[in-house]
Amino acid sequence: MKAVFLLFLLLTLIPIKAATLTTNEIFVRLQIVIENNEGLEDLISDLENLENRELVPLLKEFDQTWPQLRDRYLKDHNNFVQAQYSGEAKVEANRQIRQFRKDFMMVYQLNEAAMKPLLKTKSMPAIKGLKKLIMPDAKQLFATAPVALDQQRKIVLILAKFRDAIVHTAVLPDEEKAREKIISKEKEAISAVAGLPRDGLRIIEENDKIAAKENVPDDEREGIREVNEWRLLLGLNALLIDSKLCDASRGHSEDMDKHKFFAHESPLDGKKTPWDRAANEGTKASGENIYMGSTAPTAANKGWFYSPGHHKNMFRGSHKQIGLGRFGRHWTQMFG
């Protein structure tokens, strides 16, 4: 019923009589797309044939209704999320979280030989279970959502995509990226109740700022973020990016690639140990992991996760800072 109401609201609140014939036609076609669950591609393509004198009024008419539809959905979404993290559901989720963390730390405390077979059967399932409970994505969350809310979301995302297309086609100086904003607000609603510590989330946000300011490559930033999310899921502290450790890591990865060696001990003068390499960049290190075989940060993190010694390094509670550096298919991860 909510989905039908949203569509009705869209068609009744937009003052079509005051609009141009072209605008009327566009809104009728948008209605057909929504009713028939069709793609927007043809409609968006046809926007290219409109002049700005037609696109600007189109956006103006659309925006008389859009904020109401968007905000109504976000309110309903927030209410649904709140319900998933309250009462008996919250009690059961907390019980499962405690058990997953207990399972993980039980393996972590074993010797490396005993750890190895359990990293895949106990440790990674614990991480995945925690992520599902604490950081569910929209797809996971909506697997249990009422049909009406799911339909409501689909309509709102279609409308958001349509609005973004108008803005893009007209090259308008508009700050709102409608679809991106909705996805972001959904994530915020989940984060607010799902249990990740706020100080950890603040460090992740700060890391994004540091990475942008210090020109840390996106793949390195993403690899660091994944490790931090794992640590927060387990109740550990998030690690602050040290761009100097990133430089030292990237330098060692480049040395391994160019000089054809794979080791923590470098044959190059002045770079023999991780501590030397960190000192050369003006910082300190407390540990190092190395990986070879892929350009993807997720592959490097996964390789370290399933390697007992590297695993222990990655989840050590005493670390405060982190650096990650790639060159070619070589990765180096350093801690401080």
Side-chain angles (χ1 to χ4, degrees):
M1 291 299 295
K2 288 181 180 177
V4 174
F5 177 75
L6 278 171
L7 183 56
F8 174 77
L9 193 62
L10 170 69
L11 298 176
T12 55
L13 291 187
I14 291 177
I16 290 179
K17 291 182 180 180
T20 66
L21 178 60
T22 301
T23 302
N24 286 350
E25 291 173 345
I26 291 291
F27 284 138
V28 169
R29 289 181 61 191
L30 180 60
Q31 175 189 1
I32 293 171
V33 166
I34 293 173
E35 287 180 338
N36 297 336
N37 196 28
E38 298 175 352
L40 271 175
E41 289 73 18
D42 290 343
L43 181 55
I44 289 175
S45 178
D46 287 345
L47 291 177
E48 300 285 348
N49 298 323
L50 301 181
E51 302 291 337
N52 270 31
R53 59 185 172 82
E54 297 166 306
L55 289 168
V56 171
L58 180 66
L59 181 64
K60 183 178 180 181
E61 303 294 353
F62 185 84
D63 276 354
Q64 290 192 35
T65 304
W66 166 245
Q68 299 173 55
L69 300 176
R70 178 197 63 210
D71 294 346
R72 182 187 298 271
Y73 163 68
L74 290 174
K75 181 179 179 180
D76 291 342
H77 172 268
N78 289 351
N79 290 339
F80 171 69
V81 171
Q82 291 282 349
Q84 306 309 298
Y85 291 91
S86 61
E88 292 184 7
K90 184 176 182 179
V91 171
E92 176 58 20
N94 286 337
R95 185 197 67 77
Q96 292 182 48
I97 288 170
R98 288 193 298 271
Q99 186 61 52
F100 282 132
R101 288 175 174 173
K102 182 179 179 181
D103 290 346
F104 185 96
M105 295 312 299
M106 178 198 72
V107 176
Y108 184 83
Q109 292 164 4
L110 297 173
N111 63 60
E112 293 186 14
M115 281 178 68
K116 191 168 181 62
L118 297 176
L119 292 175
K120 289 187 177 181
T121 60
K122 281 283 187 182
S123 301
M124 184 55 80
I127 289 288
K128 290 180 178 179
L130 288 166
K131 189 167 186 177
K132 186 175 181 179
L133 289 167
I134 300 176
M135 296 176 61
D137 58 27
K139 183 177 181 180
Q140 291 173 328
L141 197 66
F142 273 86
T144 59
V147 173
L149 183 63
D150 188 42
Q151 292 176 339
Q152 187 180 2
R153 182 177 192 262
K154 289 176 181 176
I155 290 176
V156 167
L157 289 178
I158 289 173
L159 297 176
K161 185 176 181 180
F162 175 73
R163 187 186 190 281
D164 287 339
I166 298 173
V167 172
H168 175 75
T169 304
V171 195
L172 298 175
D174 187 272
E175 294 297 324
E176 178 181 353
K177 290 181 173 59
R179 191 176 188 282
E180 183 180 306
K181 183 174 181 178
I182 288 172
I183 300 300
S184 176
K185 289 293 184 181
E186 287 177 339
K187 290 180 179 178
E188 286 179 15
I190 296 170
S191 295
V193 298
L196 284 183
R198 293 190 180 277
D199 56 346
L201 293 173
R202 281 193 290 268
I203 288 177
I204 288 178
E205 291 177 4
E206 181 64 21
N207 283 348
D208 288 339
K209 295 177 183 176
I210 293 172
K213 182 180 179 181
E214 302 295 334
N215 296 316
V216 175
D218 286 344
D219 56 354
E220 297 173 6
R221 177 187 58 79
E222 290 166 6
I224 289 171
R225 185 185 187 95
E226 183 176 48
V227 170
N228 269 332
E229 287 180 352
W230 286 347
R231 290 177 64 93
L232 290 177
L233 289 172
L234 293 165
L236 300 171
N237 61 306
L239 305 175
L240 189 67
I241 283 183
D242 181 345
S243 62
K244 295 178 180 179
L245 281 179
C246 290
D247 293 340
S249 297
R250 198 178 309 113
H252 188 55
S253 294
E254 181 174 1
D255 288 342
M256 287 191 293
D257 181 81
K258 290 185 174 181
H259 296 277
K260 309 303 179 187
F261 72 95
F262 183 69
H264 294 288
E265 186 169 311
S266 172
L268 303 177
D269 290 341
K271 298 182 177 181
K272 184 176 182 180
T273 69
W275 336 124
D276 294 333
R277 296 188 286 273
N280 290 342
E281 298 295 341
T283 188
K284 295 181 180 180
S286 58
E288 181 183 79
N289 288 336
I290 57 175
Y291 172 87
M292 177 178 65
S294 174
T295 60
T298 52
N301 282 338
K302 195 172 183 179
W304 291 321
F305 190 100
Y306 291 133
S307 174
H310 299 94
H311 182 102
K312 282 186 177 290
N313 215 5
M314 199 155 49
F315 295 105
R316 186 164 294 139
S318 59
H319 295 320
K320 303 298 181 186
Q321 297 175 308
I322 187 172
L324 183 65
R326 178 184 70 86
F327 188 89
R329 295 162 67 86
H330 284 80
W331 291 86
T332 303
Q333 181 184 60
M334 299 184 77
F335 302 98

